[in-house]
């Protein structure tokens, strides 16, 4: 039986976490509320023990306690409520001065074009204890050392904010990093820091060294570049060396999830080990021994994969699943999943906002709930066909579970995902098993030449098949507009189906139809909801981009008519409108009663009988801005990303001298004029 009490407790915990992140309370009120709630809970618990009938007050107070726990956990972990956190030092001591920083490398990120990137854990700030995470960007050059997990560095540097998204509807990297607990960044060169030799040995640093040792030995096995990068991603969770082409191919084929060590990999390993160790079930204490062996093996894999946060989350979740599997009841797995969800959120409530965490739990819950019903659609005694249908049913169930989240976050649907997963997933167990065996042989000290060549062939065949599927672009549905509200109501629809599968009664049928009506209402509302009529001057380096949205159409003007940048696609998705025609940049625009003059590299602005309220500077025109201001008397000056930075700084000072508003898109983001609200910078 499902433990609905556990599910309800988890629900109230999640509500409390959401409230804790978004609702402000003073510490005094929080402590008083907690004390009163605790006293009432103890009294109701004592009364419930003495009562022969169920005590509804005890149940209500229990849910309130978990609501409070969720609130307290998330509220206490907010940086502003932690006196030792870095962000609480800026108003008092840091300001604009460089700081002496000692920090430890805890994660290696995918490098950018010009920088290597890491996540640091702050150890000391100006010789005082401090907490918080930092994003470290190190300029690439031939002398720049590659940092390793567990190493500590010292630098004298000024903190910088992580830049917000500069264009509307664009991916907000700053918000994403805050979800990971990273609020500030450091931009340094290889000459501006030193690696400390006395870095302490921790389990994470040992795991990092072990993973680096494995990578060094894998590079000796004569794998091709793409083969090695996929092997590192599949087995070790290292995606830094994956080419953009490989990532795009796997995403288009609907199997990008296999390139990140996550719940899929850990789940397959658990299933393989459970099958291999089936003989232990006949022993007297076999189930206990088997469970312990499964847990040790899963955490051993996490150690090999470097104990990255995503791997630790996945292994933690499947550790509970492993325990539930030994109870021989599917409902036990559901209960243990909710128990793992509850415990992990109590440990780190920010997991709730992380995409990988959401996708992992959604997929596993869907497999447990929907896969048995899908499996019953086709009932056959043929073992081969039954095995294939089982793979299909698992794939379908997982895709059903993650569909709302996938559409919301990634805005695309790979039409051939089912075919790709049917043909790949049956072999994923073999690919992982051979890869792990290869790693173990390397760790022992042997040189497995034949096994390496065999594995290289397997990975090459996988890459070629994925590339072939990805080439069928007609089956990839892109740029799907799917809002957060739609994501929520579709999730409620899936939950209502799960209740109906559990128990077919009038209440659950009513719940299902209510969720369908809710989806229809949201669709109708969003269909007739008109986008804002606005003019947007976007930010893009070395280019000028302007969009005018009116009457459900977008006119797009650009200095590079051959290329549509990704942020324009984001803008189309956000506004639910496609751009039909692309125009070259014009010199004069008029919107919402405001005339806009575009001054390009020619520097022409003296037009007869024309006094624009706004002036847009593009392509670094050679002009005297103060003279332009005296001549045109505009309300505001805008400079986009096509201008040289030194000129922008010069213009900014000139505008400041004339007490005229100046908007640089590289600093303040896209400049927006709305038809109702006069002007605003994004």
């Amino acid at each position: 039986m499902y433990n609905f009490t556990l599910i309800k407790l988890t629900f109230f915990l999640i509500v409390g976490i959401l409230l804790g992140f978004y609702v402000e309370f003073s510490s005094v009120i929080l402590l008083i509320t907690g004390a009163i709630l605790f006293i009432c809970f103890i009294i109701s618990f004592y009364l419930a023990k003495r009562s022969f009938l169920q005590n509804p007050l005890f149940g209500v107070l229990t849910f309130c306690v978990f609501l409070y726990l969720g609130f307290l956990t998330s509220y206490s972990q907010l940086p502003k409520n932690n006196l030792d956190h870095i962000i609480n030092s800026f108003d008092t001591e840091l300001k604009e001065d460089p700081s002496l920083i000692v920090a430890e490398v805890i994660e290696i990120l995918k490098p950018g074009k010009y920088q290597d990137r890491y996540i640091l854990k702050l150890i000391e700030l100006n010789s005082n204890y401090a907490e918080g995470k930092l994003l470290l960007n190190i300029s690439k050059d031939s002398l720049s050392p590659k940092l390793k997990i567990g190493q500590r560095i010292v630098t004298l540097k000024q903190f910088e904010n992580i830049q917000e998204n500069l264009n509307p509807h664009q991916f907000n990297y700053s918000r994403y990093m805050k979800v990971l607990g990273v609020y500030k960044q450091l931009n340094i060169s290889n000459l501006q820091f030193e690696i400390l030799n006395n870095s302490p040995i921790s389990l994470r640093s040992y795991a990092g060294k072990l993973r680096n040792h494995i990578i060094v030995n894998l590079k000796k096995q004569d794998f091709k570049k793409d083969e090695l990068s996929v092997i590192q991603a599949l087995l070790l969770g290292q995606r830094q060396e994956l080419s953009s082409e490989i990532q795009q191919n796997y995403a288009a084929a609907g199997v990008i999830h296999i390139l990140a060590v996550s719940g899929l990999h850990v789940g397959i390993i658990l299933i393989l080990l459970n099958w291999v160790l089936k003989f232990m079930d006949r022993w007297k204490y076999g189930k206990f021994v088997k469970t312990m062996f499964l847990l040790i093996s899963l955490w051993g894999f996490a150690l090999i994969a470097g104990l990255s946060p995503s791997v630790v989350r996945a292994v933690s979740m499947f550790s509970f699943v492993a325990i539930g599997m030994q109870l021989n009841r599917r409902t036990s797995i559901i209960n243990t999943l909710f128990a793992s969800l509850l415990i992990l959120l109590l440990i780190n409530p920010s997991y709730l906002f992380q995409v990988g965490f959401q996708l992992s739990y959604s997929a596993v819950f869907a497999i447990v709930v929907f896969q048995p019903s899908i499996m019953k659609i086709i009932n056959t005694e043929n073992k081969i066909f039954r095995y294939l249908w089982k793979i299909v049913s698992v794939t379908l169930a997982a895709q059903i579970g993650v569909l709302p989240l996938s559409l919301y976050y990634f805005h695309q649907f790979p039409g051939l995902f089912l075919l790709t997963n049917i043909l790949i997933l049956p072999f994923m167990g073999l690919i992982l098993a051979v890869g792990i065996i290869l790693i173990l042989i390397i760790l022992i000290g042997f040189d497995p030449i034949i096994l390496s060549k065999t594995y290289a062939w397997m990975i090459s065949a996988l890459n070629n098949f994925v590339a072939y599927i990805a080439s069928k672009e007609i089956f990839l549905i892109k740029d799907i507009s799917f809002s957060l509200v739609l994501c929520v109501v579709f999730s409620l629809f899936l939950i209502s189906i799960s209740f109906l599968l559990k128990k077919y009664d009038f209440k659950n049928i009513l719940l299902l139809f209510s969720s369908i009506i809710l989806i229809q209402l949201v669709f109708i509302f969003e269909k007739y909801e008109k986008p804002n009529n606005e003019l947007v001057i976007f930010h893009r380096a070395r280019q000028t981009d302007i969009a005018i949205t009116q009457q459900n159409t977008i006119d797009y003007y650009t200095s590079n008519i051959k290329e549509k940048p990704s942020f324009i696609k984001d803008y189309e998705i956000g506004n639910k409108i496609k751009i039909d025609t692309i125009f070259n940049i014009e010199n004069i625009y008029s919107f919402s009663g405001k005339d806009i003059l575009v001054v390009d590299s020619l520097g022409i602005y003296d037009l007869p009988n024309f006094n624009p309220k706004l002036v847009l500077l593009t392509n670094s025109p050679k002009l005297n801005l103060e003279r332009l201001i005296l001549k045109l008397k505009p309300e505001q000056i805008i400079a986009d990303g096509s201008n040289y930075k030194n000129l922008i700084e010069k213009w900014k000072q000139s505008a400041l001298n004339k007490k005229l508003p100046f908007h640089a898109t590289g600093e303040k983001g896209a400049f927006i004029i709305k038809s109702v609200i006069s002007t605003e910078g994004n």
Side-chain angles (χ1 to χ4, degrees):
M1 293 293 292
Y2 292 172
N3 189 336
F4 282 104
T5 300
L6 183 60
I7 295 172
K8 291 174 184 176
L9 292 177
T10 307
F11 170 77
F12 278 96
L13 182 78
I14 290 172
V15 173
I17 289 172
L18 293 172
L19 290 174
F21 274 105
Y22 296 112
V23 178
E24 291 265 358
F25 275 110
S26 70
S27 300
V28 176
I29 294 176
L30 198 60
L31 289 173
I32 293 173
T33 304
I36 294 172
L37 186 61
F38 179 74
I39 293 170
C40 293
F41 176 76
I42 294 297
I43 294 172
S44 66
F45 175 74
Y46 178 74
L47 294 175
K49 285 182 66 177
R50 299 184 60 183
S51 175
F52 290 103
L53 301 174
Q54 274 192 324
N55 190 333
L57 179 62
F58 175 70
V60 171
L61 285 172
T62 302
F63 294 138
C64 289
V65 165
F66 273 81
L67 182 76
Y68 179 81
L69 279 176
F71 185 93
L72 184 65
T73 304
S74 59
Y75 189 80
S76 62
Q77 291 197 15
L78 287 175
K80 63 183 179 182
N81 298 319
N82 181 355
L83 295 178
D84 293 321
H85 198 279
I86 178 179
I87 68 167
N88 294 317
S89 303
F90 278 85
D91 293 334
T92 56
E93 58 186 82
L94 297 184
K95 297 182 181 178
E96 302 296 327
D97 301 325
S99 302
L100 183 63
I101 302 160
V102 179
E104 180 179 325
V105 179
I106 59 173
E107 192 172 350
I108 302 172
L109 301 178
K110 185 176 177 62
K113 191 174 183 180
Y114 304 107
Q115 295 175 316
D116 290 318
R117 301 186 302 145
Y118 306 87
I119 299 293
L120 303 180
K121 181 179 74 172
L122 195 60
I123 305 296
E124 289 183 9
L125 181 62
N126 295 328
S127 301
N128 296 316
Y129 172 77
E131 294 182 8
K133 294 180 182 179
L134 303 170
L135 172 63
L136 174 65
N137 302 307
I138 303 179
S139 301
K140 285 184 178 180
D141 60 50
S142 57
L143 300 176
S144 179
K146 300 293 183 182
L147 298 179
K148 299 175 182 178
I149 300 292
Q151 284 186 328
R152 289 190 175 184
I153 67 165
V154 59
T155 182
L156 184 64
K157 197 65 179 174
Q158 185 177 331
F159 293 100
E160 298 178 29
N161 292 322
I162 301 173
Q163 194 170 51
E164 300 280 346
N165 56 318
L166 295 174
N167 294 307
H169 306 294
Q170 194 176 18
F171 173 69
N172 194 327
Y173 188 68
S174 175
R175 186 186 302 164
Y176 167 74
M177 294 306 295
K178 286 178 181 177
V179 167
L180 301 179
V182 182
Y183 288 81
K184 296 291 178 180
Q185 67 177 354
L186 300 172
N187 289 303
I188 61 178
S189 69
N190 68 303
L191 300 176
Q192 294 177 312
F193 73 94
E194 290 185 10
I195 300 174
L196 299 178
N197 295 322
N198 60 343
S199 299
I201 300 297
S202 63
L203 186 61
R204 187 188 294 273
S205 64
Y206 174 78
K209 289 180 179 179
L210 178 63
R211 184 167 63 179
N212 289 335
H213 174 70
I214 293 169
I215 291 173
V216 168
N217 284 278
L218 283 173
K219 289 180 177 178
K220 296 177 182 178
Q221 301 303 311
D222 200 29
F223 291 114
K224 294 179 181 177
K225 184 178 179 180
D226 282 342
E227 293 169 357
L228 182 61
S229 65
V230 171
I231 290 170
Q232 289 179 209
L234 277 171
L235 302 174
L236 304 173
Q238 290 288 87
R239 302 177 64 180
Q240 288 86 346
E241 296 185 21
L242 286 171
S243 66
S244 58
E245 182 183 0
I246 286 288
Q247 293 191 77
Q248 289 168 6
N249 285 344
Y250 276 76
V255 287
I256 188 67
H257 51 280
I258 73 175
L259 291 181
V261 176
S262 59
L264 172 68
H265 303 69
V266 180
I268 290 174
I269 291 170
L270 176 59
I271 292 170
L272 284 174
L273 288 173
N274 188 59
W275 176 71
V276 171
L277 302 176
K278 199 171 183 179
F279 66 92
M280 289 185 178
D281 292 338
R282 296 190 294 269
W283 297 358
K284 184 176 180 181
Y285 299 105
K287 286 189 178 297
F288 175 77
V289 175
K290 181 181 175 183
T291 303
M292 295 304 298
F293 192 87
L294 289 174
L295 295 177
I296 292 170
S297 300
L298 291 180
W299 285 101
F301 175 71
L303 191 68
I304 290 174
L307 291 176
S308 65
S310 60
V311 175
V312 170
R313 286 200 309 266
V315 171
S316 299
M317 178 175 69
F318 278 96
S319 295
F320 282 88
V321 174
I323 296 170
M325 287 172 63
Q326 304 315 307
L327 299 177
N328 292 327
R329 296 199 307 269
R330 181 173 294 271
T331 52
S332 296
I333 299 177
I334 282 285
N335 297 335
T336 51
L337 276 174
F338 271 99
S340 70
L341 177 61
L342 190 147
I343 291 171
L344 286 176
L345 289 178
L346 281 172
I347 294 171
N348 190 346
S350 66
Y351 282 161
L352 184 64
F353 304 97
Q354 297 181 14
V355 180
F357 184 82
Q358 296 170 7
L359 291 173
S360 292
Y361 270 95
S362 297
V364 176
F365 286 142
I367 289 171
V368 175
V369 172
F370 296 121
Q371 190 267 343
S373 299
I374 298 173
M375 192 71 185
K376 291 176 183 177
I377 295 174
I378 299 178
N379 196 4
T380 177
E381 298 298 325
N382 186 297
K383 290 185 177 180
I384 296 176
F385 187 79
R386 185 173 178 81
Y387 173 74
L388 291 175
W389 179 239
K390 191 171 186 178
I391 295 294
V392 172
S393 64
V394 169
T395 304
L396 274 174
Q399 192 65 38
I400 289 170
V402 302
L403 183 60
L405 290 170
S406 297
L407 293 177
Y408 172 63
Y409 286 117
F410 309 118
H411 303 291
Q412 67 177 27
F413 180 77
L416 293 177
F417 83 92
L418 187 58
L419 174 63
T420 314
N421 282 276
I422 289 171
L423 295 176
I424 289 179
L425 287 184
F427 300 100
M428 273 300 295
L430 180 63
I431 291 171
L432 289 174
V434 174
I436 292 172
I437 292 170
L438 176 65
I439 288 174
L440 292 176
I441 292 174
I442 288 174
L443 289 175
I444 292 171
F446 291 103
D447 187 12
I449 299 175
I450 297 176
L451 185 61
S452 294
K453 291 186 178 296
T454 303
Y455 201 55
W457 176 84
M458 293 170 66
I459 298 299
S460 179
L462 175 65
N463 287 343
N464 291 335
F465 173 72
V466 169
Y468 173 76
I469 294 295
S471 67
K472 310 301 179 184
E473 294 185 1
I474 191 173
F475 295 100
L476 179 62
I477 307 171
K478 295 181 179 179
D479 304 334
I480 302 171
S481 181
F482 202 80
S483 66
L484 176 60
V485 177
L486 271 177
C487 179
V488 172
V489 295
F490 260 96
S491 299
L492 292 175
F493 170 67
L494 295 178
I495 292 171
S496 67
I497 292 177
S498 70
F499 283 146
L500 193 63
L501 292 175
K502 174 71 175 60
K503 187 177 181 181
Y504 190 82
D505 60 12
F506 177 76
K507 184 176 71 173
N508 289 333
I509 292 173
L510 183 63
L511 181 64
L512 176 63
F513 277 101
S514 299
S515 65
I516 293 173
I517 292 171
L518 190 59
I519 290 173
Q520 295 298 320
L521 290 174
V522 173
F523 267 126
I524 293 170
F525 173 78
E526 293 192 352
K527 182 178 180 180
Y528 291 99
E529 182 189 23
K530 293 183 178 180
N532 292 323
N533 289 341
E534 60 187 16
L535 181 146
V536 182
I537 300 172
F538 296 95
H539 175 79
R540 180 161 59 136
R542 296 182 292 278
Q543 303 292 340
T544 297
D545 300 273
I546 300 173
I548 300 177
T549 304
Q550 289 187 108
Q551 303 299 324
N552 291 328
T553 61
I554 300 177
D555 293 331
Y556 173 46
Y557 302 83
T558 178
S559 57
N560 186 352
I561 204 164
K562 296 179 180 179
E563 178 189 1
K564 184 192 284 187
S566 60
F567 63 80
I568 292 296
K569 293 181 180 178
D570 295 333
Y571 188 73
E572 289 178 303
I573 294 170
N575 281 329
K576 305 180 182 69
I577 308 174
K578 286 286 185 182
I579 293 172
D580 295 324
T581 311
I582 301 177
F583 305 95
N584 285 310
I585 290 292
E586 298 178 356
N587 293 110
I588 297 174
Y589 296 90
S590 182
F591 185 84
S592 190
K594 292 182 180 294
D595 292 327
I596 306 168
L597 175 65
V598 179
V599 182
D600 57 21
S601 58
L602 298 176
I604 299 173
Y605 63 85
D606 190 2
L607 302 178
N609 301 318
F610 184 65
N611 295 101
K613 291 189 176 182
L614 302 172
V615 173
L616 170 62
L617 303 175
T618 68
N619 294 308
S620 305
K622 295 180 181 179
L623 52 77
N624 186 313
L625 186 61
E626 292 188 6
R627 191 176 300 162
L628 180 149
I629 294 171
L630 288 172
K631 175 67 178 177
L632 300 181
K633 295 181 175 57
E635 292 180 355
Q636 189 164 6
I637 304 293
I638 307 121
D640 68 6
S642 65
N643 300 287
Y644 295 128
K645 289 185 178 180
N646 61 328
L647 281 178
I648 292 174
E649 289 300 318
K650 183 180 177 182
W651 295 334
K652 184 178 179 181
Q653 187 59 47
S654 297
L656 183 64
N657 293 338
K658 294 295 182 179
K659 298 181 180 180
L660 189 69
F662 184 83
H663 186 107
T665 60
E667 294 179 5
K668 299 181 179 180
F671 183 83
I672 302 174
I673 306 172
K674 295 186 181 293
S675 59
V676 179
I677 303 172
S678 56
T679 62
E680 69 174 26
N682 192 34

